[in-house]
Amino acid sequence: MTARGKKTVRDLRRGSRSTLLRRLYFDGPLSRQELGSITGLSGGSISNVTGELLADGLIEECGSVESDGGRPRILLRVAAGRAHLVGVDVGETQVRVALFDLARTELAASDRPLDDRGHDAGHVAELILAGLAEVLERTGTDPGTVLGVGVGVPGIVEQGVVGQGVVGRGAVARGTGPDLGGGAGAVVHGQTVGWDAVPLGRMLRAGTDLPLFVDNGAKTLGQAEMWFGAGRGARHAVVALFGSGVGACVIADGARFRGAASSAGEWGHTKVHVGGRRCRCGARGCLEAYVGAEALVARWGAAPPGGGEKAGLAALLAAAGAGDPAAVALLDEAAEYLGAAIADLVNLFNPERIVIGGWAGLLLGPRLLPGIRAAATEYALRFPREQTEIVLGTLGPAAVTVGAATLPLSDFLDSGGEFPRRAEADAVGTGAGATGAAAPAGLRA
Ligand SMILES: [Zn+2]
């Protein structure tokens, strides 16, 4: 460990590697010359660091472009197959585990329905571990190439603290920051699914030695839309997750706004009606109790029985499309509630963009968007409203798993492409000594 504030040569090299990897990841392929002009690093540094990254197999050459009068310039990109990412979506009705390569191509996925035990935490942890084993085995993936398992959950996530689940990566205390690993220490407060301080990280650590990252599903969706979807390029944005429940991820000045204990952005539980409908959280009058998919289907009351929320919502949409007055009125009202609640976001955060995602957002968005925009204009202050565009998410239903997979990806890019060490035993947190001598397929026996 080095003295605070004193950068070693190693830190600087890590920083240069991280800068170039990020550029190539998000903007590649690029030539060395382009990397130099974008990053401001010297030609010598670019040459050294790209040489290292090539030798590590993290980047690869991919053709060349002509340059004015000079030699053709070789293009570089991140090597998609060099490492793998796992994203998990603990959804309302199922647990989805997906394995991606570095380019976010989904190589395998496992969908396991929640049975009548619902969100029983032990059962959910079992489903995650079973899905993880399945996708690794089906693809024959070497666990040593897996950068980590990102898990998106319904609830507020208290991140791990030092000494409580840090997967060692050498001298740097990884896992201590809010966005880093250390997911083995993650504790989830999921009031709407009955999770009261569930130590999900520890429960998963008992079954896998892979690095763990746990975060709220709306926040992982937000990160995915910001990095790869409709949020790209915005520095001030809100990504709204509209599903069975309602959540949001607030991005302020390019960073996710988390609050004191990561619970910021619980937009679904802002009040739209004092003394109104009872919400799943126990309070009255929450936005979610009016426009969450579960609430909409329950309020409509005409959904075909036994079809689940998705089928119910699709039936509501079809009925409205056919002119059923009750269905039309309910959806018009939902658009107004959402627009008014978005007006609150506009007034509070002055975002340049608001992205509506989540499976219900994808399903209802095209119909509701004009009404939402009109209501937002009606309810928001004029000046900030004029600066805000309201758009639909572009990532589709896999956005939560992609977003969960960005948690280990972000850590990997920050580290300059360092492969994580795997947890040694249940006594993780020493940050030392783990060597990857693990049970097969990254799972504990
Ligand atoms: Zn509520």
Side-chain angles (χ1 to χ4, degrees), residues 270-290 299 337:
T270 51
K271 307 308 167 224
V272 294
H273 190 172
V274 170
R277 283 175 57 82
R278 180 75 70 187
C279 178
R280 294 189 297 181
C281 74
R284 285 189 178 278
C286 297
L287 176 65
E288 183 170 307
Y290 288 85
R299 291 175 69 206
Y337 272 124

Side-chain angles (χ1 to χ4, degrees), residues 28 37 48 113 123 259 264 267 342 388 440-441:
S37 57
N48 284 340
H123 182 52
W267 179 55
I342 281 174
T388 309

Side-chain angles (χ1 to χ4, degrees), residues 295-358:
L296 280 177
V297 171
R299 291 175 69 206
W300 186 39
E309 271 170 33
K310 279 183 191 167
L313 209 59
L316 170 61
L317 187 61
D324 177 308
V328 168
L330 188 57
L331 289 184
D332 286 353
E333 190 208 70
E336 185 167 6
Y337 272 124
L338 279 166
I342 281 174
D344 290 341
L345 294 174
V346 168
N347 290 349
L348 283 171
F349 297 110
N350 186 202
E352 61 203 278
R353 200 174 304 157
I354 290 179
V355 178
I356 300 171

Side-chain angles (χ1 to χ4, degrees), residues 168-324:
R169 281 224 206 198
V172 182
R174 310 297 291 248
T176 55
D179 283 327
L180 299 181
V187 172
V188 186
H189 307 271
Q191 203 168 322
T192 59
V193 294
W195 284 14
D196 183 13
V198 167
L200 184 67
R202 193 144 43 81
M203 294 162 80
L204 294 175
R205 173 57 71 230
T208 178
D209 58 5
L210 292 171
L212 294 167
F213 301 77
V214 183
D215 207 347
N216 171 270
K219 291 192 170 70
T220 65
L221 172 95
Q223 177 139 322
E225 287 286 354
M226 291 305 293
W227 279 17
F228 313 117
R232 259 196 105 148
R235 283 196 67 74
H236 301 274
V238 180
V239 181
L241 184 149
F242 176 24
S244 182
V246 177
C249 175
V250 177
I251 291 92
D253 211 8
R256 288 185 295 162
F257 181 69
R258 311 190 69 100
S262 300
S263 86
E266 287 289 341
W267 179 55
H269 304 283
T270 51
K271 307 308 167 224
V272 294
H273 190 172
V274 170
R277 283 175 57 82
R278 180 75 70 187
C279 178
R280 294 189 297 181
C281 74
R284 285 189 178 278
C286 297
L287 176 65
E288 183 170 307
Y290 288 85
V291 304
E294 183 182 301
L296 280 177
V297 171
R299 291 175 69 206
W300 186 39
E309 271 170 33
K310 279 183 191 167
L313 209 59
L316 170 61
L317 187 61
D324 177 308

